[in-house]
Amino acid sequence: MSADAELRIRLADEPGALVGGVDSVGALYGRPAEAWATLVVAHGAGTGMEHPFLEGFAQAVQALGVATLRFDFAYREAGRRFPDRPPAAVATWRAAVRTAAELAAAAGRGAASGTVPAEPVWASGKSFGGRMASMAAAEGMAVSGLVMLGYPLHAPGKPEKPRDEHLPALQVPILFLQGRNDPFAVPNDQLDDVVGRIGPNASLEWIDAANHSFEIKGRKRPAAEIGAALAASVVAFMRARPTDA
């Protein structure tokens, strides 16, 4: 499969306007022949869009007929280490989804009209990236569905402070892929309860013995291979959920 194309995502319509201190962020776009959907992919707090886990995941998703758009948040673009606050991260997510719709339209697969295009556009993210996608969707970002790759339900060791207030309001299909040994989701039954409160549009797939990076103790695998191993479940979930798009 050919390398993803590099592009820029403009973050604001007004000339000179900044989001998180920058006017645009870098992105990587890959579109297989006869793509039937687009999956926008965001990185976790401590990595970027070029991390091998996300690269392996994106390449495997493309092999199953789904275009991918990976992007960096503004803080990565600006060279900062600390993640953006939610308003900047949500604004970046909105811009990324808008760009994905425009790319689908350019490929003849929908109209970039500010609503979900004829080609389904889904939002996914590793940890922080997925949480910010869910917050953007709760605030009205139009996507066909959400995929959480290791949702950070709470800080490690602090289950009494869950980050779940917005989740029950989500109306689109949402898939949680989570490691049983992920310290951001221990005890496991806490996330089980959250998914139950979201309702039938949500699904949770536990991966036995996996940690927050989906690594399994005693089973050494490259990060790209670990990411790629998640693609089949994600694409199967996308195919099984009809949308209004």
Side-chain angles (χ1 to χ4, degrees):
M1 186 171 292
S2 60
D4 291 349
E6 297 182 9
L7 53 86
R8 304 291 302 176
I9 294 176
R10 189 181 72 256
L11 299 184
D13 292 330
E14 301 81 6
L18 302 179
V19 172
V22 299
D23 62 0
S24 64
V25 295
L28 295 168
Y29 181 62
R31 186 177 187 88
E34 305 301 325
W36 55 272
T38 295
L39 183 66
V40 187
V41 185
H43 59 79
T47 65
M49 65 178 177
E50 295 181 325
H51 191 276
F53 174 92
L54 291 186
E55 181 177 4
F57 175 70
Q59 292 294 312
V61 166
Q62 290 173 32
L64 296 172
V66 176
T68 64
L69 178 66
R70 289 178 278 157
F71 68 92
D72 274 337
F73 285 106
Y75 74 97
R76 294 284 300 187
E77 183 71 30
R80 298 190 301 270
R81 295 181 62 185
F82 195 75
D84 296 318
R85 299 292 297 169
V90 166
T92 306
W93 253 115
R94 289 181 180 276
V97 167
R98 181 181 64 241
T99 299
E102 291 169 351
L103 290 166
R109 290 287 297 159
S113 60
T115 59
V116 178
E119 176 177 294
V121 174
W122 286 62
S124 68
K126 180 71 183 75
S127 192
F128 169 82
R131 181 181 170 226
M132 292 300 107
S134 66
M135 292 180 71
E139 293 181 16
M141 182 178 74
V143 290
S144 295
L146 296 163
V147 175
M148 305 290 106
L149 304 176
Y151 187 81
L153 182 59
H154 55 72
K158 297 184 178 181
E160 72 280 4
K161 296 182 179 180
R163 303 158 175 159
D164 64 347
E165 300 90 346
H166 63 290
L167 293 176
L170 294 171
Q171 299 298 311
V172 297
I174 178 170
L175 171 65
F176 293 83
L177 292 179
Q178 203 84 25
R180 286 275 185 198
N181 291 343
D182 184 346
F184 289 83
V186 173
N188 293 167
D189 58 3
Q190 189 173 15
L191 185 56
D192 286 326
D193 177 69
V194 170
V195 172
R197 286 190 284 114
I198 295 173
N201 57 304
S203 181
L204 170 59
E205 182 176 328
W206 288 107
I207 300 178
D208 289 338
N211 63 15
H212 192 56
S213 298
F214 296 97
E215 299 165 332
I216 296 175
K217 188 175 181 179
R219 186 182 176 190
K220 188 68 175 178
R221 294 182 296 166
E225 181 180 322
I226 294 172
L230 304 180
S233 291
V234 171
V235 175
F237 184 84
M238 293 171 66
R239 281 193 179 276
R241 268 68 186 180
T243 70
D244 294 331

